[in-house]
Amino acid sequence: MNLAFIKELIPAIVKHFQKNGATYAKVVGGMVFASTVTAAACHVAYKKIEKKHRNDDAKKYKEEFAKRLKELEDRYKHNEYLLKKKINELCDEFGIEHVC
């Protein structure tokens, strides 16, 4: 590398940025603004989709829990102790507090 080249290059770069600095600032500012708006829009969309899927999952689990609870009640209707035990196991499986 030639030191004279570097000595000439640095002032040329400084002059270039002094001359075109406002344009670069506008471009970078626009990019930051656009990125911020995009990130906010993605966050809102993600929250809406997550809420929808959580509701769908909750309905599905509620229906499955009710179905399996009904099956347990039909199967163990004559043995209350086993029924309570199986219901508690079902509650553990679904992450619900014990009802009995």
Side-chain angles (χ1 to χ4, degrees), residues 20-64:
N20 299 314
T23 304
Y24 287 136
K26 288 177 187 175
V27 169
V28 170
M31 289 170 41
V32 168
F33 177 75
S35 297
T36 304
V37 169
T38 302
C42 288
H43 179 72
V44 169
Y46 174 79
K47 288 294 184 184
K48 285 184 180 180
I49 290 171
E50 183 181 26
K51 183 178 179 182
K52 178 185 177 285
H53 284 288
R54 282 182 183 253
N55 288 339
D56 292 347
D57 289 344
K59 287 178 186 175
K60 181 179 78 172
Y61 290 137
K62 182 179 177 182
E63 290 171 0
E64 185 178 340

Side-chain angles (χ1 to χ4, degrees), residues 74-90:
D74 290 344
R75 178 185 253 175
Y76 298 105
K77 62 184 169 188
H78 299 297
N79 191 340
E80 187 176 338
Y81 172 76
L82 275 178
L83 177 62
K84 285 182 180 181
K85 183 178 175 185
K86 294 295 183 180
I87 289 174
N88 287 338
E89 289 174 3
L90 183 65

